[in-house]
Amino acid sequence: MARSSEKRSATRSLTALIAIIIGLLAIVAGLAQWGGGQYTPRLGLDLEGGTEIVLEPVLTGNATVTAGQINQAVDIIRQRIDANGVSEAEISTLGGRNIDIAIPGTPSPEQLEAIRKPSQLRFRAVFVESGNVPAAAPSAPTPTPTATAPASGKATTSPSATPTASKTAANAPVPSALKAATSSPTTSPTATATPSASPSTAPAQQPAPSGAPDEKTLASQTSQSLVALGWDKAKADAAAATVAKQFVALDCSVPGTLDKIVDDPALPMATCSDDNRAKYVLGPVEIDGSEISDASSGFQAGPNGQPTSVVEVRLSFNSAGAKKFADVTKRLYALQSQPPRDQFAVVLDKSVITAPRAQAVITNGQASITGNFTVDSAKQLAQQLKFGALPLSFKLQTQDDITPQLGQEQLALGLLAGLIGLILVVIYSLFQYRALAFVTVLSLVVAAVVTYLSVTVLGTTHGFRLTMAGVTGLIVAIGVTADSFIVYFERIRDEVREGRPLVAAVETGWKRAKRTIIAADAVNFIAAVVLYLLASANVRGFAFTLGLTTIIDLLVVMLFTHPMVQLLARTEFFGNGHRWSGLDPVRLGAKVSPRYRGAGQFGTGPRPATRAATRSEAAPRLGSAEGRGQA
């Protein structure tokens, strides 16, 4: 009964492994067909080449660049690259001034734009908002984005302008925000916000609720807003007159318009939205992008804690930013009756990426932006907020294709080295374990297939690229995997030496070997994780593949090697200890004791694994001690 259960367990394990391999094959094929993937692993700079970008800082007057600014910019650009699914990129500085970025493969235009975009992220109050039309031609009234933000307890939002494909309650289980927003803005139903969901806002791509005023009126409104911020009246009038002229002359649809805008953080500015549909007069900078501690996106939680259909961007400030943000929202909340003066704009490289309305005072530094977001657009905004705050602006100096540093020849040599190592392992296994070595060979083949498919999938889903260091990690993994088999096989042979029949030796040996294998792989995995976290980019490829193959080693030993040995132990060839099986008790020097074979005969051989073997051994062997009934 127990043996039948063990056989079923072995069959289930092998079935599970086959299902995993088929699943990985299906994922690879699906990604290659519809997800922009491929059937082979992606290669790194040293094996495939890629694109090199050189960024030069933009300086005005006698301004200089410090080493701290350059190092901070390198860190932020590296975060941008990782966030856009590009790995194994190399980033360095040139002459302590320029930044050199080498990206493997052929990055998409979106990835290149996100990486090379010279960005400064700033928060400014909105004084005037208008559609991108001349001041003399007022735009038609359209809905204005609104939001609420409770400081504590619970609060209810007022109707806000959010486009929806269909009327869906805020706590609807089906996330309609997965669909791209194609309908015109409509008023959404009232929703309840949790204490952590500070301002709930709509994006800034909506035109203003009224047409732009003339230059004189605009200058007067801007001056009043500056005086409210504590400016001297004469200074406010002068700055307002200048920005009013800039606003009237501003046409966001003309290419290169943003290049002519002067972004002085101490002065008001006239600028455009990032989609060029609206233009603004904004106040001086009140919060800098460097004061954002984190930004993320996802589905907003409803009153019951369950995810709703509303996609939000969650924004967190550090202690200094939280205090400034509390002061800003306190002032803007008091201006709810004077839109758009209750809005604050997030300005990235002179353009407004969102301009939400404050409907409560935010004192905890936690904000939530909602509106006509899809999952992708919310993720993009979160990345802009999190990684957009470069300490200075950069311009693209050069962009060139680079050739592989090592190339196919080095890759072929590395693979040849791996093949030689594999052959040596097979030869040793055949010499040491004879027919049992074929389990080792098949296990290595299965491990290689799973590793290949895993690396291919990760190349598409996480931007993983295989470098020469990674290939080295895969070669080292051959020894790690073979080591697990040796531990297991030696445990079985030890049990056979103790006189146990093979079926019992397999189970007892596995119980003892499993703990050793798990402990050894755990040490390897911890070493790989530490190396990955602390090492440079090139060595991280080695650490990643070593950690991945360590996990695969456990998977293969559990779901293939042990089940295969369980099934083989029930065959006549292995179960009876054939001399070429690698489990011959005589060759292993097993402890033997007389046992009754039946029909008045005794023997010291292994216990037969099948009934056929029992019948064959029952016949006396002429000329042997057993045939004369002697022990």
Side-chain angles (χ1 to χ4, degrees):
M1 197 68 179
R3 294 184 178 182
S4 177
S5 175
E6 291 166 359
K7 185 176 181 180
R8 286 196 300 270
S9 176
T11 304
R12 285 196 300 268
S13 297
L14 292 173
T15 303
L17 179 62
I18 293 172
I20 291 173
I21 295 176
I22 293 175
L24 287 173
L25 283 169
I27 293 173
V28 169
L31 291 174
Q33 188 70 26
W34 301 289
Q38 56 189 47
Y39 291 100
T40 56
R42 297 180 185 271
L43 303 179
L45 276 170
D46 53 351
L47 300 177
E48 183 180 4
T51 303
E52 183 179 35
I53 300 173
V54 177
L55 300 180
E56 179 183 6
V58 178
L59 304 175
T60 57
N62 296 324
T64 58
V65 179
T66 65
Q69 288 175 319
I70 292 296
N71 292 334
Q72 183 182 354
V74 167
D75 291 339
I76 293 175
I77 290 174
R78 182 176 286 109
Q79 289 175 322
R80 289 185 186 177
I81 291 174
D82 294 339
N84 280 277
V86 180
S87 65
E88 299 296 341
E90 296 180 2
I91 307 175
S92 59
T93 59
L94 297 176
R97 174 186 173 93
N98 295 347
I99 297 179
D100 181 81
I101 307 169
I103 306 169
T106 306
S108 66
E110 293 78 11
Q111 289 174 330
L112 286 176
E113 178 63 22
I115 293 168
R116 72 188 182 191
K117 187 177 179 64
S119 303
Q120 286 184 319
L121 189 70
R122 291 164 174 168
F123 288 71
R124 295 173 178 260
V126 176
F127 292 167
V128 177
E129 179 184 9
S130 170
N132 184 31
V133 293
S139 60
T142 53
T144 302
T146 59
T148 96
S152 62
K154 291 187 177 181
T156 303
T157 64
S158 62
S160 60
T162 56
T164 55
S166 60
K167 292 185 178 180
T168 306
N171 59 352
V174 179
S176 59
L178 283 169
K179 302 176 182 178
T182 56
S183 59
S184 59
T186 59
T187 301
S188 65
T190 299
T192 302
T194 60
S196 62
S198 303
S200 178
T201 66
Q205 287 83 354
Q206 311 295 336
S210 60
D214 57 40
E215 183 178 328
K216 183 176 180 180
T217 304
L218 190 147
S220 176
Q221 292 176 350
T222 304
S223 178
Q224 291 175 11
S225 298
L226 291 173
V227 171
L229 291 176
W231 280 48
D232 176 76
K233 182 66 166 63
K235 183 180 177 182
D237 288 343
T242 301
V243 78
K245 291 180 181 178
Q246 295 172 349
F247 181 86
V248 171
L250 188 63
D251 186 353
C252 298
S253 61
V254 176
T257 297
L258 292 179
D259 296 335
K260 301 176 183 178
I261 296 175
V262 178
D263 186 6
D264 189 333
L267 296 176
M269 68 179 294
T271 188
C272 307
S273 64
D274 60 348
D275 62 356
N276 297 328
R277 290 175 54 191
K279 57 182 182 178
Y280 301 83
V281 172
L282 307 176
V285 173
E286 300 190 61
I287 305 175
D288 190 77
S290 60
E291 293 171 312
I292 295 175
S293 62
D294 192 21
S296 60
S297 61
F299 291 104
Q300 192 178 63
N304 56 0
Q306 297 298 318
T308 68
S309 61
V310 179
V311 179
E312 67 172 350
V313 176
R314 293 176 289 273
L315 186 62
S316 301
F317 294 90
N318 59 22
S319 56
K323 185 179 184 303
K324 294 178 182 179
F325 193 64
D327 295 337
V328 171
T329 54
K330 181 179 180 180
R331 186 184 76 250
L332 298 182
Y333 179 61
L335 299 173
Q336 278 192 300
S337 60
Q338 305 176 42
R341 295 179 63 196
D342 60 341
Q343 296 175 235
F344 62 92
V346 181
V347 184
L348 181 63
D349 262 0
K350 304 180 184 179
S351 66
V352 176
I353 60 175
T354 185
R357 295 176 62 182
Q359 290 187 314
V361 181
I362 313 301
T363 58
N364 60 0
Q366 304 292 323
S368 171
I369 304 175
T370 61
N372 59 333
F373 289 131
T374 64
V375 171
D376 290 338
S377 64
K379 180 180 178 182
Q380 180 183 5
L381 177 58
Q383 290 180 1
Q384 288 176 319
L385 292 171
K386 188 173 183 179
F387 306 131
L390 283 177
L392 52 132
S393 293
F394 289 85
K395 67 179 180 180
L396 180 64
Q397 186 183 70
T398 60
Q399 177 177 331
D400 302 301
D401 294 333
I402 53 178
T403 58
Q405 299 169 5
L406 297 177
Q408 295 296 325
E409 181 180 357
Q410 295 296 326
L411 176 61
L413 291 175
L415 295 177
L416 178 62
L419 180 61
I420 293 173
L422 180 62
I423 292 174
L424 292 176
V425 169
V426 171
I427 292 174
Y428 170 80
S429 298
L430 287 171
F431 175 78
Q432 182 72 12
Y433 300 111
R434 304 200 176 185
L436 195 61
F438 289 104
V439 178
T440 301
V441 175
L442 290 175
S443 298
L444 288 172
V445 171
V446 171
V449 170
V450 175
T451 301
Y452 183 89
L453 295 176
S454 300
V455 170
T456 303
V457 171
L458 290 173
T460 303
T461 59
H462 292 77
F464 173 73
R465 290 183 174 273
L466 195 60
T467 62
M468 199 63 208
V471 173
T472 304
L474 297 180
I475 295 174
V476 172
I478 297 174
V480 174
T481 304
D483 182 64
S484 298
F485 306 150
I486 292 172
V487 170
Y488 180 31
F489 294 162
E490 289 299 327
R491 283 292 188 180
I492 295 175
R493 288 155 70 111
D494 286 342
E495 298 300 323
V496 172
R497 290 188 184 98
E498 292 296 325
R500 288 188 176 87
L502 184 58
V503 173
V506 167
E507 299 305 322
T508 305
W510 171 245
K511 290 177 182 178
R512 296 180 177 180
K514 181 169 63 174
R515 292 193 295 267
T516 305
I517 292 171
I518 292 176
D521 282 345
V523 171
N524 283 336
F525 186 76
I526 292 172
V529 170
V530 173
L531 190 62
Y532 182 86
L533 295 176
L534 300 181
S536 61
N538 290 335
V539 181
R540 291 177 73 184
F542 169 81
F544 182 86
T545 53
L546 181 61
L548 177 64
T549 51
T550 299
I551 296 174
I552 292 174
D553 172 49
L554 275 177
L555 179 74
V556 173
V557 170
M558 298 281 186
L559 299 182
F560 182 80
T561 308
H562 174 53
M564 280 295 296
V565 175
Q566 282 182 306
L567 297 178
L568 291 176
R570 287 161 174 77
T571 64
E572 183 175 351
F573 180 80
F574 287 93
N576 288 333
H578 191 280
R579 52 181 284 185
W580 290 105
S581 68
L583 296 170
D584 179 11
V586 177
R587 180 173 177 267
L588 295 176
K591 297 178 180 179
V592 294
S593 58
R595 67 177 173 80
Y596 184 66
R597 289 178 176 243
Q601 300 180 22
F602 289 84
T604 57
R607 186 169 297 171
T610 63
R611 293 182 180 179
T614 302
R615 289 193 297 268
S616 65
E617 291 186 11
R621 298 180 182 177
L622 296 178
S624 68
E626 296 175 1
R628 293 189 295 271
Q630 300 176 5

